[in-house]
Amino acid sequence: MRAVILVGGQGTRLRPITYDIPKALVPLRNHPFMGYMVDFLRSGGIDGAVLSLGYLPDPIQAYFSGRDDLDGFSVDYAVEDRALGTAGGIKNAQQYLDGGPLVVVNGDVLTGMDLTKAIERHRATDALATVTLTSVEDPTAYGLVEVDHEMLVHRFIEKPAYDDVTTNLINAGVYVMEPEVLDMIPAGREVSIEREIFPRLQAEGRLRAHVSSSYWRDIGTPRSYLAASHDVLSGAVGAGENFEYLDVDPSTRVGKNVKLLPPVSVAAGCDIEAGATIGGRSALGRGCRIGEGSVVEGSILLDGAEVEAGAVVRGSILGPRARAGQGAIVRGLSVLGAGCVIGEGNVLDQGVRVNPGVILPPRSLRF
Ligand code: GTP
């Protein structure tokens, strides 16, 4: 069976990171997200995928063409010249499918769910599509799915107000479907699977659900991306017996009295100066520079990011080559775009986002 992986969206909620890196390739423990997706599909017996691409397709294609460990997992690319939406993106992939049942996944979900169970469940019913569901504590940011006792879907509620929450089961973004569903999708225009196609199947009584209690998280916002990173570093997903909690590339230079507190992941060519602390659940990409006495905790630093002497980065994301100047404080889910420079002594907090290339003069911002 093949899968369609939807990776054509702009990832607006994860800006400014997604201005430069498609959401499908943001790293978790220094491995591009797509690697986790392929492992997930393979564990469910899927033998190939069509990448449904639109926004920033080239780096995604380059990632797959540069991999020599796909072991027969076949990959095709269907590239949109304008956004076709989540159903339009599936339709656009049709030419690469074999006419049998298929799996469709949102290309931004990290899950340990047993895909074989979802496929089995689908096959045991007359459903044209089976939507996997997962429960979350605060469902208000998601698409809720109400089901009856036979797991027939009877209502979708998109991003409900707190008072309208009737279930904590949400659409997990993993579907099994019959090829007939593709014929229901009009070609050549933007179509949403959640808003147009599933409601039609639901009205015909041909849409069922499968609930998974396994690990699930999407990486669509800075908060959930950071949480997914913490989970992967802590071994909550995809960790075997030999999982390394202190995953430090040997080419990294570590100065005197540096504290590296596991779980932590440091990629090749980093330079960590004396007295710095890399606190638990941090991931440093290739070639990051960490200055003397600085502190990085619970954060993601992408390739080439810099934290100068005495700066503190806590629970935040630094884009590629972003720099936190001397004594700067970047905390509280702040996100720095590629190449931006936070001058000496600034304090960033409360989820502030700085666009790529912006230069903040010293001591100009204090949250
Ligand atoms: P936001 O802009 O932050 O909402 O992110 P997004 O663009 O990724 O949208 P969303 O999270 O709703 O999309 C769910 C999945 O569908 C993601 O994996 C997207 O890449 C994918 N997707 C969204 N829109 C399109 C599209 O027009 N074409 C294709 N091929 N995929 C899409």
Side-chain angles (χ1 to χ4, degrees):
M1 192 186 273
R2 294 197 91 195
V4 173
I5 312 177
L6 291 165
V7 283
Q10 293 194 20
T12 53
R13 289 165 301 152
L14 197 53
R15 286 177 181 165
I17 299 303
T18 42
Y19 282 127
D20 294 86
I21 306 172
K23 192 161 53 169
L25 294 184
V26 296
L28 289 173
R29 198 172 180 260
N30 283 312
H31 296 289
F33 179 69
M34 267 302 107
Y36 296 87
M37 177 57 80
V38 170
D39 291 348
F40 162 63
L41 292 173
R42 296 183 96 147
S43 73
I46 302 298
D47 44 33
V50 186
L51 275 294
S52 175
L53 300 157
Y55 177 70
L56 296 181
D58 297 346
I60 301 177
Q61 285 187 247
Y63 165 74
F64 278 100
S65 56
R67 272 190 75 163
D68 51 12
D69 58 345
L70 288 172
D71 288 337
F73 187 87
S74 63
V75 178
D76 289 294
Y77 308 100
V79 188
E80 294 155 23
D81 44 23
R82 63 196 163 87
L84 293 175
T86 44
I90 305 170
K91 181 79 178 175
N92 199 42
Q94 191 167 13
Q95 58 182 307
Y96 299 106
L97 297 167
D98 58 9
L102 64 144
V103 163
V104 175
V105 280
N106 281 353
D108 61 355
V109 296
L110 178 68
T111 176
M113 96 173 49
D114 184 347
L115 187 53
T116 56
K117 282 236 166 71
I119 295 170
E120 264 170 37
R121 182 65 59 87
H122 174 79
R123 286 195 163 131
T125 69
D126 65 348
L128 285 178
T130 299
V131 185
T132 60
L133 310 181
T134 186
S135 61
V136 288
E137 237 164 67
D138 176 12
T140 52
Y142 298 93
L144 263 55
V145 184
E146 282 182 1
V147 292
D148 69 10
H149 63 288
E150 290 184 318
M151 299 307 284
L152 263 174
V153 173
H154 72 103
R155 193 153 80 113
F156 282 92
I157 314 164
E158 260 313 302
K159 306 198 170 86
Y162 202 75
D163 286 351
D164 297 329
V165 171
T166 52
T167 170
N168 65 345
L169 292 176
I170 62 153
N171 175 356
V174 178
Y175 318 121
V176 189
M177 49 180 78
E178 297 300 312
E180 287 93 315
V181 177
L182 279 87
D183 298 328
M184 295 170 66
I185 306 172
R189 71 162 172 92
E190 189 167 349
V191 189
S192 158
I193 193 89
E194 301 89 341
R195 285 191 295 276
E196 291 185 54
I197 306 302
F198 285 162
R200 275 177 61 193
L201 290 173
Q202 180 268 325
E204 292 167 17
R206 304 294 298 276
L207 184 64
R208 286 183 188 265
H210 168 72
V211 182
S212 162
S213 55
S214 302
Y215 177 89
W216 182 93
R217 208 184 270 286
D218 78 292
I219 56 157
T221 65
R223 183 182 299 281
S224 58
Y225 173 38
L226 204 54
S229 174
H230 291 170
D231 292 342
V232 171
L233 287 162
S234 310
V237 226
E241 278 301 307
N242 299 323
F243 185 76
E244 292 284 351
Y245 287 90
L246 196 60
D247 167 37
V248 180
D249 190 276
S251 65
T252 276
R253 205 184 64 79
V254 179
K256 270 198 184 140
N257 301 324
V258 164
K259 282 198 200 126
L260 284 174
L261 308 175
V264 78
S265 173
V266 181
C270 292
D271 195 345
I272 307 174
E273 301 277 351
T277 300
I278 310 297
R281 305 194 300 175
S282 290
L284 276 53
R286 280 191 304 268
C288 287
R289 292 193 41 230
I290 309 299
E292 200 172 328
S294 59
V295 176
V296 176
E297 270 179 6
S299 296
I300 302 170
L301 273 55
L302 299 184
D303 291 355
E306 287 182 50
V307 179
E308 291 187 348
V312 175
V313 177
R314 229 176 231 129
S316 292
I317 304 170
L318 270 54
R321 303 170 312 284
R323 186 182 343 142
Q326 275 197 23
I329 299 176
V330 179
R331 64 186 176 209
L333 218 55
S334 298
V335 188
L336 310 189
C340 75
V341 179
I342 304 306
E344 195 178 331
N346 283 297
V347 181
L348 272 55
D349 199 350
Q350 298 177 32
V352 70
R353 302 189 193 197
V354 183
N355 273 341
V358 166
I359 297 178
L360 268 187
R363 288 172 287 278
S364 54
L365 199 64
R366 272 193 99 78
F367 262 83

